[in-house]
Amino acid sequence: MTTQTIEPPRSAAAARRTTNWEKWGWIYMRGSGVLLVVLIFGHLFVNMVAGEGVKQIDFAFVAGKWASPFWQVWDSLMLVLALIHGSNGMRTIVNDYVSKPGIRKTLLVAILIACVVLVVLGLLVCWTFDPCPAGAAAADLPSFCPAQ
């Protein structure tokens, strides 16, 4: 009994009909990496350098920032790209180093579930954040909140 360890060659027509997920994963990693550099350094500049630096970061700063759809989109894009980028990297590591199919599949499913849960929770926070919560101390609220 011979065991074949290498996939048999496919015809050129069959190869064209299938999607090369590894190629698209590789392209995604390069594109998202470049975009993440811009998003992360923009985020760090606004939060750490501009204005009063780190001293300015408090609830009112975050509330004021997330009151703008621009910053909600910026932070959402950064969150989604970073989580998918990291999950794709973990997927690559698992595929490279885990040889047992059952363990590999379990780890890949766990990575997928963790990525989906974190993206959903992160986007919920970013898009449902209330900058003017009821019962908050007036000193903690941003200036645009009405007096309560």
Side-chain angles (χ1 to χ4, degrees), residues 5 12 22 24-25 31 41 51 55 83 90 127 134 140 144:
T5 58
E22 289 300 320
W24 288 109
F41 279 109
K55 292 186 289 185
L83 282 170
M90 289 301 297
W127 290 95
D140 293 335
F144 59 79

Side-chain angles (χ1 to χ4, degrees), residues 55-95:
K55 292 186 289 185
Q56 70 186 347
I57 300 177
D58 58 5
F59 180 85
F61 175 79
V62 174
K65 200 173 149 195
W66 277 358
S68 163
F70 174 81
W71 288 112
Q72 285 180 310
V73 170
W74 183 287
D75 288 347
S76 296
L77 190 58
M78 188 169 54
L79 170 86
V80 171
L81 287 175
L83 282 170
I84 295 173
H85 185 96
S87 296
N88 191 35
M90 289 301 297
R91 179 195 64 83
T92 302
I93 291 169
V94 167
N95 283 337

